[in-house]
Amino acid sequence: MTALTRGAIPAADRVVVKVGSSSISGDNAHRIDTIVEALAAAHDRGTEIVLVSSGAIATALPFLQLEGRPNDLATQQAAAAVGQNVLMWRYQTSLDRFGLLAGQVLLTAGDLEHPTPRSNARRAMERLLGLRILPIVNENDTVATQEIRFGDNDRLAALVAQLIGADALILLSDIECLYTRPPGEPGARPIDTVEADDDMQGYEFGTVVVNSVGTGGAATKVSAARLAAASGVGVLVTSADLVGDALGGRDVGTWFVPADVARPLPTGPVGTVPGPRR
């Protein structure tokens, strides 16, 4: 059932949760336990959860004795290969406390642009969910190239939510909600709700942020949230520390109201918007 409000998230049948590199790597690696605890509670309620997790490259940095995110593609690919292994180990170790099993799903942009791999990806995730396994999705950075990348995992999460017909999408950030301009600037106001037809051009979300561990920022979350909401998926943007409140339907974050559209599982290219509800 599509979540039309934040409060409806606990009753949703299927929810996609996305967490970024900075929220779960380095000094914030302990947040994995917090996130897993919230996912396990939702799982116990009967909600099907898909986790889209960045962090492979960031997780590898200390193991490869790198001070920051590498700039060259080959080192990024090597770091992703090392970090993805460690990241999945950390998730599974945390999930063991609740008797839950994770399944790794690595995707490239091409996988969601072409019918056969797109169908395969959807079928695999549907089967994992049917087996009550937690799919953990990430971009396949080991084989992706600069020319064919999602750009950021916020967009990947929106496309996955559309692919599997999710009822809600939760984009976890480093701040509690979105603001009309960077929160440290004078006049910045928190944004509680974004309607499907709201004009947000007057807001200042800045450009995509590329920091020492990942890519992203408020602008990418707004873009991804609007993409998902346009296809009928309600989206909540909030802090990773509030993931339990988000999945519990509490009044946190910025809510993007889903457009009133029919949402069968898509058969056309992912990223397109279904037709209006009849």
Side-chain angles (χ1 to χ4, degrees), residues 128-149:
L128 287 169
L129 291 170
L131 293 169
R132 300 294 287 159
I133 293 171
L134 172 69
I136 300 181
V137 183
N138 197 357
E139 181 160 17
N140 193 348
D141 289 311
T142 301
V143 300
T145 66
Q146 300 290 7
E147 292 76 18
I148 51 168
R149 298 182 71 92

Side-chain angles (χ1 to χ4, degrees), residues 3-247:
L4 299 179
T5 66
R6 295 175 181 84
I9 290 177
D13 295 322
R14 182 173 290 180
V15 177
V16 174
V17 177
K18 182 267 176 179
V19 62
S21 298
S22 62
S23 296
I24 57 168
S25 62
D27 293 339
N28 291 324
H30 66 277
R31 278 206 185 114
I32 287 179
D33 284 341
T34 302
I35 292 167
V36 164
E37 184 175 347
L39 299 184
H43 184 274
D44 284 347
R45 292 195 298 267
T47 303
E48 294 179 338
I49 299 288
V50 173
L51 177 64
V52 177
S53 176
S54 303
I57 293 176
T59 298
L61 297 182
F63 294 94
L64 300 179
Q65 299 181 347
L66 297 173
E67 294 183 358
R69 184 182 177 90
N71 294 319
D72 66 291
L73 181 59
T75 307
Q76 289 177 10
Q77 291 171 324
V82 172
Q84 190 65 35
N85 175 53
V86 176
L87 185 62
M88 286 300 297
W89 176 81
R90 289 176 176 173
Y91 274 120
Q92 186 57 63
T93 298
S94 189
L95 286 164
D96 285 344
R97 298 175 295 154
F98 304 98
L100 297 178
L101 185 63
Q104 179 176 258
V105 180
L106 298 178
L107 299 172
T108 66
D111 292 331
L112 298 187
E113 291 174 355
H114 303 289
T116 298
R118 185 173 67 245
S119 177
N120 288 341
R122 182 189 304 129
R123 182 170 56 245
M125 280 190 277
E126 290 284 353
R127 187 60 181 138
L128 287 169
L129 291 170
L131 293 169
R132 300 294 287 159
I133 293 171
L134 172 69
I136 300 181
V137 183
N138 197 357
E139 181 160 17
N140 193 348
D141 289 311
T142 301
V143 300
T145 66
Q146 300 290 7
E147 292 76 18
I148 51 168
R149 298 182 71 92
F150 291 105
D152 60 83
N153 272 3
D154 293 313
R155 177 173 173 80
L156 171 59
L159 297 179
V160 167
Q162 183 179 350
L163 177 72
I164 64 171
D167 300 308
L169 167 64
I170 298 174
L171 299 175
L172 299 178
S173 176
D174 294 327
I175 56 176
E176 184 173 343
C177 65
L178 295 172
Y179 289 79
T180 53
R181 57 175 52 193
E185 294 186 3
R189 293 178 289 106
I191 302 172
D192 180 80
T193 303
V194 178
E195 299 286 346
D197 57 353
D198 278 356
D199 182 2
M200 305 183 74
Q201 291 190 4
Y203 298 157
E204 299 176 16
F205 296 114
T207 57
V208 174
V209 174
V210 180
N211 56 37
S212 62
V213 295
T215 63
T220 69
K221 286 174 175 54
V222 171
S223 177
R226 302 218 80 165
L227 171 63
S231 65
V233 181
V235 184
L236 183 64
V237 180
T238 193
S239 165
D241 289 329
L242 298 177
V243 59
D245 289 337
L247 284 165

